[in-house]
Amino acid sequence: MSWKEGGGGFGGGGGPRDPLEILEELKGRFQGRFSGAVPGGLVGIVILVALLVWAATGIYIVNPDEVGVVKRFGKYSRTTAPGPHWHVPYPVESVLTPKVTQVRRVEVGFRTVASGPPARFQRVPAEALMLTGDENIVSCEFIVQYRVRDAQQFLFRVRDPDGAVRAAAEASMREIVGRNLVDDVLTEQREKIQIESGDLLQNTLNIYEGGIQIDFVRLQDVYPPDQVIDSFRDVASAREDRERLRNEAEAYANDILPKSRGEAAERLNQALAYRATKVATAEGDAARFEALLKEYEQAKEVTRRRLYLDAMGDVLSKAKIVMADGKGGSGVLPVLPLDAFAPREVK
């Protein structure tokens, strides 16, 4: 606000008055009272100088990264833009100049002891330990970066901005982590958890009119508590073994299944061919039997004799050779077993 903008100064009105006008008014009053007591109006000059010095203390400059928030008797009066300004000096008005473009940082679950390098950190388990949706405990360390969005709300609604942001961020992260499984928090869903917790944190701060804009929430480190980290490593190792065995089983299945399907198809085709052969053979035998039956019905004795000769021919063709004389055993040796003189196989 420029010096000549109205209100607030001596003499009433809504804003600060011109300081020279105020001084002239005060000078006239004091000269009227003391003109008869002190010669030359010296007291009036002293008072005038004192008032000028007092008025000069109301000059202030707001830097480009700041805004000026003027308080009158401790209550918010107005907000001024970057540049030179003047306000009614103490004890009437005072000015705060918060940096509205500065990115502020809050650490949750840990504190930076030394920026380094190498940087050193101190863990804060009371903030970091959180319960997941499947009732496991993980330690979440994260940072929140924010800026001032509304200087009036930032100065007059929040007593400890960093503490308020840290408490709201911790509550938001606990709620989001509680909605997810431990494996998701440790591995795959970290990006999603960061975004959801940032949105929830912003909504919470908006409800309380904190005048704060959240830039982002970033998980720095998520790990199991030290007391159970060995068990988590065992579980992780077992999970890796499970994945390895599953891959090996899938590779074996991909190798053996095509072969098995090929063998099954081959055997099925053999079975079908065997069935077709047997059916054709049976049908041929049945046709041959019917033809033979027809011949038998026409000439029974001839057919019976032929069948006998065919059967004996089949039997004798597979039997050992037997020689006999034609006189029916009148000789000394009616049967000559030629097989006895055949060479034997040496085993």
Side-chain angles (χ1 to χ4, degrees):
M1 177 180 290
S2 65
W3 287 22
K4 293 183 178 291
E5 290 178 355
F10 290 177
R17 298 173 53 193
D18 191 332
L20 297 178
E21 180 182 352
I22 298 173
L23 292 176
E24 290 294 336
E25 181 180 351
L26 294 175
K27 179 182 175 181
R29 293 181 181 178
F30 282 105
Q31 284 181 343
R33 292 186 179 183
F34 298 101
S35 57
V38 180
L42 181 59
V43 175
I45 295 173
V46 173
I47 293 174
L48 177 61
V49 172
L51 288 176
L52 287 174
V53 174
W54 176 76
T57 59
I59 300 173
Y60 67 97
I61 297 176
V62 180
N63 294 323
D65 59 339
E66 301 171 341
V67 295
V69 178
V70 181
K71 298 188 298 179
R72 181 174 297 165
F73 299 113
K75 185 179 180 180
Y76 171 77
S77 174
R78 60 189 180 276
T79 301
T80 57
H85 300 274
W86 182 84
H87 68 87
V88 180
Y90 180 84
V92 179
E93 292 183 343
S94 61
V95 177
L96 299 175
T97 55
K99 294 183 180 298
V100 293
T101 61
Q102 178 185 6
V103 178
R104 303 166 190 264
R105 170 192 170 107
V106 170
E107 299 171 342
V108 182
F110 73 103
R111 301 290 186 273
T112 301
V113 178
S115 57
R120 292 188 295 113
F121 305 96
Q122 179 181 4
R123 293 179 176 176
V124 184
E127 298 177 358
L129 294 178
M130 299 182 183
L131 189 65
T132 63
D134 52 355
E135 298 182 353
N136 285 290
I137 296 176
V138 294
S139 181
C140 295
E141 298 176 356
F142 60 98
I143 63 172
V144 179
Q145 289 192 353
Y146 70 95
R147 290 175 295 171
V148 177
R149 184 182 61 188
D150 188 313
Q152 178 187 357
Q153 293 181 348
F154 182 76
L155 293 175
F156 295 97
R157 294 280 186 177
V158 183
R159 177 176 299 176
D160 179 11
D162 286 350
V165 171
R166 181 177 292 107
E170 181 184 345
S172 301
M173 184 61 72
R174 288 187 186 280
E175 181 173 343
I176 300 302
V177 169
R179 299 176 185 173
N180 291 270
L181 303 178
V182 61
D183 291 340
D184 296 337
V185 177
L186 292 174
T187 56
E188 301 174 353
Q189 300 298 325
R190 294 184 58 169
E191 185 71 21
K192 175 173 170 286
I193 290 173
Q194 292 177 162
I195 296 174
E196 291 182 353
S197 61
D199 294 339
L200 181 60
L201 174 59
Q202 183 66 69
N203 294 333
T204 303
L205 294 174
N206 291 342
I207 292 174
Y208 289 102
E209 298 181 347
I212 294 173
Q213 176 65 45
I214 300 298
D215 285 348
F216 61 81
V217 176
R218 178 172 299 166
L219 287 169
Q220 293 293 102
D221 196 5
V222 181
Y223 55 89
D226 295 338
Q227 295 82 354
V228 298
I229 192 169
D230 292 337
S231 299
F232 269 82
R233 288 174 178 170
D234 293 341
V235 172
S237 177
R239 188 178 295 111
E240 292 176 356
D241 292 341
R242 181 189 64 184
E243 293 299 324
R244 179 177 54 80
L245 294 175
R246 177 182 296 173
N247 295 333
E248 292 178 356
E250 290 178 352
Y252 177 75
N254 294 333
D255 179 63
I256 200 66
L257 284 179
K259 293 181 180 177
S260 301
R261 293 193 181 99
E263 292 178 357
E266 181 182 1
R267 295 193 178 186
L268 178 62
N269 293 331
Q270 290 177 353
L272 294 175
Y274 177 78
R275 184 185 65 177
T277 302
K278 287 299 181 180
V279 170
T281 302
E283 290 176 351
D285 292 342
R288 188 170 59 85
F289 179 78
E290 290 177 353
L292 184 61
L293 177 60
K294 185 179 295 182
E295 293 177 358
Y296 179 78
E297 291 175 349
Q298 294 176 355
K300 294 182 178 179
E301 187 59 29
V302 174
T303 305
R304 183 183 296 112
R305 185 65 180 176
R306 187 170 61 84
L307 291 175
Y308 173 75
L309 293 175
D310 291 341
M312 290 304 295
D314 291 338
V315 171
L316 292 177
S317 65
K318 300 176 183 177
K320 297 178 181 178
I321 297 176
V322 178
M323 296 183 65
D325 61 356
K327 295 181 179 178
S330 60
V332 178
L333 187 60
V335 178
L336 179 59
L338 297 177
D339 291 342
F341 299 97
R344 296 182 178 180
E345 183 180 356
V346 177
K347 297 182 180 179

